[in-house]
Amino acid sequence: MDDTHREFVDVVNAMLTCTDAELAGNVRAFIVHAEKHFADEKAWMEASDFPATDCHVDDHNAVLASAREVEPLVAAGNLEIGREFAAELARWFPGHADYLDSALAHWLVKKSAGGKPVVLRRKVTLGE
């Protein structure tokens, strides 16, 4: 999960810092990443009978729906919406990771090891 989250940060940072000519490709890269990222987490939730699966999956689905709406707009030249979307992702992700993904990680560790994990946090800033 940590590796996937680092990749998420990298993909969003690419959207935040790329040239205008690169933005459409980076939005596409985000969608490809998010589809796999979210599918992996859904599989973990379903395999472990995670109690908050529906809420967590709904959050992912909303992000993917937005990305799929933004992609053709950016491809048509609306770069501002792509930049705004990337900025919203940068605002959304820390809360999602701290609450929903953290709960999933705790659940998975508890199911597999019988106890809670030790959590170490490092501050990550998007857009730098």
Side-chain angles (χ1 to χ4, degrees):
M1 188 181 292
D2 289 342
D3 291 341
T4 301
H5 286 174
R6 278 188 281 279
E7 185 179 332
F8 183 97
V9 169
D10 291 344
V11 172
V12 173
N13 270 333
M15 287 192 296
L16 290 168
T17 61
C18 69
T19 67
D20 289 349
E22 297 168 323
L23 185 57
N26 286 327
V27 170
R28 169 86 322 241
F30 171 79
I31 292 171
V32 169
H33 164 81
E35 287 172 341
K36 180 169 182 347
H37 174 163
F38 297 164
D40 288 348
E41 286 187 12
K42 183 178 181 184
W44 298 333
M45 289 183 265
E46 290 174 346
S48 68
D49 294 321
F50 182 58
T53 296
D54 290 342
C55 175
H56 200 140
V57 169
D58 286 349
D59 209 34
H60 288 168
N61 289 343
V63 169
L64 270 175
S66 295
R68 290 177 179 136
E69 288 177 17
V70 165
E71 184 179 29
L73 298 173
V74 171
N78 188 343
L79 302 179
E80 183 178 342
I81 194 86
R83 301 288 184 191
E84 290 172 4
F85 177 66
E88 285 302 317
L89 287 171
R91 281 189 282 279
W92 168 81
F93 186 65
H96 177 87
D98 281 349
Y99 296 101
L100 295 178
D101 289 337
S102 175
L104 175 58
H106 277 84
W107 177 260
L108 293 172
V109 169
K110 187 174 181 181
K111 293 285 271 190
S112 67
K116 292 170 105 178
V118 174
V119 178
L120 305 174
R121 297 190 190 272
R122 180 177 64 149
K123 184 174 181 176
V124 176
T125 304
L126 294 170
E128 292 182 353

